Amino acid sequence: MQHQLAIDDHPSQPAQRVCHPDSAADARDFVRGFVALLCPTPPARTIQNLLLLVSELVANALRHAGAVTAVHLRADRERIEVLVEDPSSTHPQERRPDLSGSTGGFGWPMVHSLALDVMVRPGPCGGKTVQAALAR
């Protein structure tokens, strides 16, 4: 049995976990496991937005950078932060959405609409880290 990550147990330490997914589906499973450990559990809408946000960030990293180095999730009383590391130093670019569905262009604007804030910075071992936060 896993111990719940109760925010009140360690008010100065955010709850955090890391994974190395091979797919967006793996990342969504990781999110579900992380959220199940949080106490109190975030609202259903927050969980859905978190699943969508992580799925988009991981899918974009796989598509445009070729891999995901790590996914970090952190939660405190006010926020849930997502950090997705990949091996490419190229920053995400907003593109005109392709309504035929062949080249995408919807993910990056969706990330910005879901998140309170989004930052892209150099990764700890090269590449980049995309960081996004949701209200808890």
Side-chain angles (χ1 to χ4, degrees):
M1 181 173 135
Q2 290 190 344
H3 175 70
Q4 282 199 307
L5 300 170
I7 298 302
D8 293 329
D9 288 349
H10 306 286
S12 63
Q13 292 289 329
Q16 47 191 342
R17 291 286 189 263
V18 65
C19 81
H20 307 280
D22 291 323
S23 68
D26 290 345
R28 288 190 299 272
D29 289 343
F30 171 63
V31 167
R32 288 183 193 98
F34 179 76
V35 167
L37 296 174
L38 294 178
C39 182
T41 302
R45 182 178 179 106
T46 300
I47 295 169
Q48 290 299 322
N49 287 343
L50 180 62
L51 286 163
L52 185 55
L53 181 70
V54 169
S55 189
E56 278 300 319
L57 290 174
V58 167
N60 284 349
L62 291 169
R63 182 176 189 176
H64 299 290
V68 173
T69 310
V71 174
H72 302 260
L73 295 177
R74 296 191 293 231
D76 61 22
R77 286 186 179 102
E78 287 100 33
R79 297 164 58 100
I80 299 174
E81 291 186 340
V82 176
L83 292 89
V84 176
E85 299 173 8
D86 70 51
S88 172
S89 60
T90 303
H91 283 227
Q93 300 293 314
E94 191 164 338
R95 296 177 294 131
R96 170 179 252 163
D98 176 10
L99 298 178
S100 73
S102 61
T103 61
F106 295 95
W108 193 236
M110 185 184 321
V111 165
H112 281 274
S113 70
L114 290 170
L116 295 171
D117 52 60
V118 179
M119 295 184 339
V120 181
R121 55 188 166 83
C125 300
K128 70 178 167 297
T129 300
V130 178
Q131 182 175 342
L134 294 174
R136 172 115 182 221

